[in-house]
Amino acid sequence: MALIEEDVRIAYAASKITTGNNRSNSGRVALWLEASVDDVNQIIDQYSLPIKKTAAISHF
């Protein structure tokens, strides 16, 4: 399944709601979508979304 802009925007909003400090970034969005951070960062760049980009997060 290819990511689309709407997927990233919805996951970003959901991750902001569920973090107690109202912070989110591309790593958290990637976790929500079960996608790679690189794929999320590509959508952020493609659509100039106002989401902070981060490096890949290791899953524990």
Side-chain angles (χ1 to χ4, degrees), residues 2-46:
L3 289 178
I4 61 172
E5 177 188 9
E6 186 176 5
D7 294 335
V8 173
R9 286 183 181 275
I10 290 169
Y12 177 66
S15 68
K16 283 185 73 164
I17 291 168
T18 59
T19 56
N21 57 11
N22 201 30
R23 292 184 182 174
S24 189
N25 55 44
S26 63
R28 291 179 195 264
V29 171
L31 288 174
W32 267 91
L33 294 172
E34 297 181 358
S36 77
V37 174
D38 291 335
D39 290 344
V40 172
N41 286 341
Q42 182 179 1
I43 296 292
I44 290 170
D45 288 340
Q46 184 176 353

